[in-house]
Amino acid sequence: MRFAFAVFAIFAAVALPSVAVAQAPPVTGPLAYAQALDLATSRNLNIAAARRQRAIRESAIRTARQIPNPDVSLELTQDDPNQTVNLDVPIELGGKRARRIELAQAELTLADLDVQAELRAVRRDLRQTFYTLIAADERVRLAESLLDISRRVHDAAQSRFETGAAPRLEVLQADLGVTRAEADLALARATRVAAQATLNAVLNQPPQSPLIVTGSLSDHVAPIEYEQALAAATISNVDLVALDRQIDIEARRLELLRAERTPTPVFSAGGLFNSPGEFSSASRIAVSVGVPLFSRNQGEIAGSIATTAQLRARRDATRRTIENEVYGIVARIDAERRHVEAFEQRLVPTATNLEALAEESYRAGRTSVLALLDAQRSLRDLRREALQAALDLQTSIAELEEILGTTLP
């Protein structure tokens, strides 16, 4: 029992600090998109794990800097001489060590790409989840306003029924509209809770942590030029940069393979001791060098050259794919932006006016409740379509930022 308790105490002492480090302070106050992006890049666990990759690659540089160890041998025999001591020291020539260090330093740059790849994914997830939460808030407000309208219609129908100006059927239809609006509001609030949990995951927070986000679905929707976007992608696209780094690394590996064709001489020094007879001790100095007659890294060099050619071909293919993707997404963003503007400037205001006129006409007894309910349904559908169109626009922007490898200005 004491042993089990001791093991548990040791485990707790080791494990609890790591848990404490993983916990992030809760977000307080309204959160704008720029603030959320700063928090995500500094607190996201996937980015933190990618940053630790740099320490692993730095150890490869320490390994490359190591100098070959000498060999010491001691031989004891009953023959003459009785004791033999040898010291073999290999001396690297041809810049092998320098080439190894350069290769390890070039591979270290891949650690930065690991972080950039995670940052790209976090930026995409953050934009999608942040504006999904904003859309969820908008849907809650929309559902609340529609519920308020439905209750006003129900009160008007009840008043007209009590005065004998409308049948009982209109009251039942209005009551059905209130029930549906209440169900829509409950669903919108539940969807908001789910969207908040998803954003909390990106921000490294517990799912139940409350979040208040500020902003609009129309944020960062300025017109985007194809040439400007393509130039940014050429410079900062993670896939293109990774291929460029791999091509450079392969060039340094080729230099190392060629340097390794230079033989490594081994200088030996030894001594003979306790040899009775003509001499009691003697010394020996020798040099041994491998003769590169057959193996000169021909296969490795040919493989490195072929790998470089393959990487260049992949880079050309990746660039062509990026050009087409950027062109298509920029065109889609432009169309979606104009679609959102149409909803905001013409469709939703017109539907709102029609609903208000239908409600006024119903109260005056000039139209039936069915016409009013139809106007409400049209307004509800248009507002939902407007929200979805704005959210689709933000999703397309997230896809473009993922291709560019950076945030849009």
Side-chain angles (χ1 to χ4, degrees), residues 145-182:
S145 65
L146 292 176
L147 177 59
D148 183 64
I149 293 174
S150 299
R151 286 172 176 171
R152 291 204 312 265
V153 172
H154 180 271
D155 294 341
Q158 183 67 33
S159 177
R160 293 191 62 196
F161 169 72
E162 291 174 356
T163 60
R168 176 71 176 171
L169 178 61
E170 291 190 358
V171 177
L172 295 177
Q173 290 172 333
D175 184 65
L176 181 62
V178 172
T179 303
R180 179 172 181 175
E182 290 174 345

Side-chain angles (χ1 to χ4, degrees), residues 149-355:
I149 293 174
S150 299
R151 286 172 176 171
R152 291 204 312 265
V153 172
H154 180 271
D155 294 341
Q158 183 67 33
S159 177
R160 293 191 62 196
F161 169 72
E162 291 174 356
T163 60
R168 176 71 176 171
L169 178 61
E170 291 190 358
V171 177
L172 295 177
Q173 290 172 333
D175 184 65
L176 181 62
V178 172
T179 303
R180 179 172 181 175
E182 290 174 345
D184 291 342
L185 178 58
L187 178 60
R189 288 172 175 170
T191 303
R192 202 266 179 200
V193 172
Q196 175 181 271
T198 306
L199 179 57
N200 275 324
V202 181
L203 298 177
N204 184 22
Q205 292 197 132
Q208 68 275 12
S209 298
L211 284 177
I212 301 176
V213 292
T214 61
S216 171
L217 286 172
S218 59
D219 291 343
H220 306 288
V221 292
I224 302 171
E225 299 294 335
Y226 166 70
E227 291 77 11
Q228 179 184 2
L230 181 60
T234 303
I235 297 174
S236 57
N237 179 268
V238 177
D239 296 329
L240 282 180
V241 175
L243 288 170
D244 289 335
R245 298 278 178 87
Q246 291 175 12
I247 291 172
D248 179 66
I249 289 172
E250 202 59 42
R252 297 181 184 276
R253 181 175 288 110
L254 180 60
E255 293 177 359
L256 175 60
L257 290 171
R258 287 172 175 169
E260 286 178 345
R261 294 188 299 185
T262 302
T264 300
V266 179
F267 294 87
S268 301
L272 307 176
F273 303 96
N274 296 329
S275 178
E278 297 179 356
F279 57 88
S280 59
S281 63
S283 60
R284 180 179 64 86
I285 298 177
V287 177
S288 62
V289 179
V291 181
L293 293 179
F294 306 108
S295 177
R296 292 177 52 83
N297 288 342
Q298 302 95 323
E300 292 85 350
I301 291 175
S304 179
I305 294 174
T307 300
T308 301
Q310 182 194 37
L311 290 172
R312 294 186 184 280
R314 286 177 55 190
R315 190 192 187 284
D316 294 338
T318 302
R319 178 178 172 80
R320 178 62 67 188
T321 301
I322 289 173
E323 290 176 356
N324 287 274
E325 289 181 347
V326 169
Y327 185 84
I329 292 180
V330 167
R332 188 187 359 159
I333 289 176
D334 184 63
E336 290 175 342
R337 181 175 56 81
R338 287 186 276 106
H339 194 206
V340 170
E341 291 176 353
F343 275 111
E344 292 178 348
Q345 298 175 5
R346 297 190 300 275
L347 297 176
V348 173
T350 301
T352 303
N353 293 333
L354 289 176
E355 190 279 331

